[in-house]
Amino acid sequence: YAGDFTGGTRVDGTKLTIPQGNVGIGTTTPYAPLHVYSAGSFPNIFQEYVSATNSSGGLIVQKKGNSLGASNAIANGSEIGYHSFYGWDGSAYGRAAYILASAEEAFTTSGHGGRLSFCTTSPGTLNEGARMVITGAGSVGIGTTTPASQLEVAGSVRAAGELISTQIGAYGNVRMIAGNYGAFWRNDSSSTYLLMTNSGDQFGTWNSLRPFGVNDSTGAIGLAFGGNSGENVGIGTFSP
């Protein structure tokens, strides 16, 4: 039908209103409020948006309440919406991956904190899980859903390029942690030192030990700085 109508009656304004039931496009058995089916055509859904202003079209998912028919605010941890990707396994559709948006706090008029979880199914299994998250504060976790830094990776990291550490107004550091101790290289713009932390303070600041240093300008190498000053230097031994 070419025109504006609602409930079968042409009107001005609203383009189409279906009070209840499911709508099928390309199918006579829709199982959702809107079910689009196509065989071999691409894309399934196409949206074109034309505007003279700096705005864009989009798909909006809204959720209200925590139970059917409720109008209360979204609770902390509530799922708000997701986009799933399914594939046919020969007998049924199975989910391969999905992107989930959820609340990171109880919603109020002044707080709408949320996060995105990127989830996949492990090969050879039906086990789904969040592989990467972006928190409301902008922290990214890979292999962890609770990143404690801007980027936290639970596992190995491989880079084809440089690993660069810059810290404006302070020092460029690369920290290594194992057991109760932390050690890191620090470049203070004049020298580069190997620094240590106290036991149990792996993520804390350095102590007075400076076992090794390099002058950034001349390349001169020094041993036993700071708290190590005056100590013997061992080659092939830790107790000279």
Side-chain angles (χ1 to χ4, degrees):
Y1 182 88
D4 301 336
F5 65 97
T6 177
T9 303
R10 183 185 176 113
V11 297
D12 293 328
T14 300
K15 303 300 181 183
L16 175 65
T17 299
I18 299 177
Q20 58 185 345
N22 296 338
V23 176
I25 300 177
T27 176
T28 58
T29 55
Y31 64 85
L34 175 61
H35 181 171
V36 180
Y37 174 84
S38 65
S41 63
F42 176 84
N44 298 95
I45 299 176
F46 180 85
Q47 177 184 1
E48 184 175 5
Y49 179 82
V50 180
S51 174
T53 62
N54 187 24
S55 59
S56 61
L59 174 65
I60 297 176
V61 177
Q62 293 180 316
K63 181 181 178 182
K64 180 190 292 185
N66 300 304
S67 60
L68 187 63
S71 60
N72 50 305
I74 295 296
N76 184 22
S78 294
E79 295 183 0
I80 297 176
Y82 62 90
H83 190 179
S84 290
F85 305 89
Y86 286 78
W88 185 256
D89 65 11
S91 60
Y93 281 105
R95 186 159 66 176
Y98 62 99
I99 302 171
L100 170 68
S102 55
E104 218 169 38
E105 63 180 348
F107 271 36
T108 67
T109 55
S110 60
H112 299 160
R115 66 164 48 203
L116 283 176
S117 300
F118 296 81
C119 310
T120 61
T121 301
S122 299
T125 75
L126 301 179
N127 300 326
E128 299 176 336
R131 314 306 178 191
M132 183 178 77
V133 300
I134 303 175
T135 70
S139 296
V140 176
I142 300 176
T144 176
T145 58
T146 55
S149 303
Q150 287 298 103
L151 173 62
E152 181 174 344
V153 180
S156 300
V157 176
R158 186 174 185 175
E162 292 181 295
L163 177 62
I164 300 175
S165 172
T166 60
Q167 199 169 356
I168 304 301
Y171 312 106
N173 299 327
V174 178
R175 186 184 297 253
M176 301 159 285
I177 294 175
N180 292 327
Y181 290 94
F184 45 95
W185 293 101
R186 186 199 75 184
N187 186 338
D188 63 8
S189 77
S190 62
S191 298
T192 298
Y193 294 101
L194 175 62
L195 306 180
M196 323 298 292
T197 71
N198 291 325
S199 178
D201 193 25
Q202 305 95 312
F203 294 94
T205 188
W206 56 82
N207 57 26
S208 63
L209 302 179
R210 306 283 191 279
F212 179 86
V214 179
N215 185 287
D216 290 346
S217 177
T218 67
I221 297 174
L223 301 175
F225 292 94
N228 297 110
S229 180
E231 292 186 2
N232 295 330
V233 176
I235 299 177
T237 178
F238 285 125
S239 54

